[in-house]
Amino acid sequence: MHLRHDPLRWQPPRDPSPGGWPAPPPGDAGPAVPGWLEERLFDQRIVMLRGPLTGQSATGIAAALLTLDAAGPAPVQVHMASSGGELGAALSIVDVIDAMTAPVHAVVTGEAGGAVLAVLAAAHTRVAYRHARFRLAEPHAAGVTGTADEVAAAAGQHLRELEEVVLRLARLTGQSRTRIEDDLSAGRSLTATEARDYGLIDSVIGEDTGTT
């Protein structure tokens, strides 16, 4: 697949306007991507998944994917740099990817872990940069309040969703369900090469050109 320059690998000049970049959302890992860059990426059919995955960010990613899918059947790239987030948010993106006509290619540019692995597993192809990292960890659920019955129902729903993710990862990697569950419970970390050998990704970008 044809990969374009990854915008996370460089630091663009600051906006010369008096206001500068908008303040990053709470919990985000860095400055927000400026609007002009988002537009250029969108024109190239690239969608960014960066920082903690929340319901709000998942809504924006899903909308971008649906818009690009409606625009044509060419592949869409999802560039990932996220250590995790809410399981429900990840599954909402998974549902969109499953329903899309255009194939989705995942590119891990930084870290991928927790709930984000569900999105990775839903992609049609998966690659990563040599220094990307992966963390097999149980995705967490969004905070639930209410009566004891409501909390219990939410916990049951979370377990069913978690089982779905485990089964997807088992099918993708060829690993046994027991091993996937054990690795998620232990919070196992993998390098890009280890993730390829594990079956999480198809290949490592630039692996053959790396220096020793």
Side-chain angles (χ1 to χ4, degrees):
M1 104 184 162
H2 178 66
L3 291 174
R4 298 178 175 83
H5 178 69
D6 173 24
L8 288 183
R9 291 185 158 233
W10 56 278
Q11 182 70 30
R14 285 193 172 274
D15 188 338
S17 63
W21 288 355
D28 198 355
V33 176
W36 64 266
L37 180 53
E38 282 190 325
E39 290 180 4
R40 292 188 182 183
L41 291 171
F42 190 80
D43 289 341
Q44 298 299 319
R45 299 180 70 82
I46 295 175
V47 176
M48 304 285 288
L49 195 170
R50 66 187 297 270
L53 185 58
T54 64
Q56 181 178 1
S57 61
T59 298
I61 292 169
L65 291 173
L66 288 170
T67 302
L68 290 172
D69 189 46
V76 177
Q77 294 182 28
V78 177
H79 286 211
M80 299 180 174
S82 172
S83 60
E86 300 170 9
L87 180 55
L91 291 179
S92 68
I93 299 175
V94 169
D95 287 343
V96 169
I97 293 175
D98 287 345
M100 290 174 60
T101 300
V104 172
H105 300 325
V107 183
V108 181
T109 62
E111 182 179 7
V116 174
L117 295 179
V119 181
L120 180 69
H124 297 82
T125 64
R126 294 154 299 277
V127 299
Y129 283 106
R130 289 189 302 118
H131 295 103
R133 292 294 181 267
F134 298 77
R135 186 167 183 268
L136 293 164
E138 288 189 8
H140 66 263
V144 177
T145 59
T147 66
D149 288 343
E150 290 170 340
V151 173
Q157 177 66 22
H158 177 70
L159 289 176
R160 289 189 292 272
E161 293 174 345
L162 181 58
E163 181 180 18
E164 178 184 340
V165 174
V166 170
L167 293 176
R168 274 185 178 266
L169 289 173
R171 288 194 298 268
L172 169 67
T173 63
Q175 306 289 344
S176 69
R177 174 175 175 172
T178 299
R179 181 173 184 182
I180 295 293
E181 291 174 339
D182 289 345
D183 288 342
L184 289 174
S185 179
R188 182 179 179 183
S189 295
L190 301 171
T191 65
T193 301
E194 290 169 341
R196 182 203 60 201
D197 296 341
Y198 193 90
L200 281 176
I201 58 175
D202 303 313
S203 61
V204 180
I205 300 170
E207 187 175 46
D208 295 336
T209 60
T211 57
T212 57

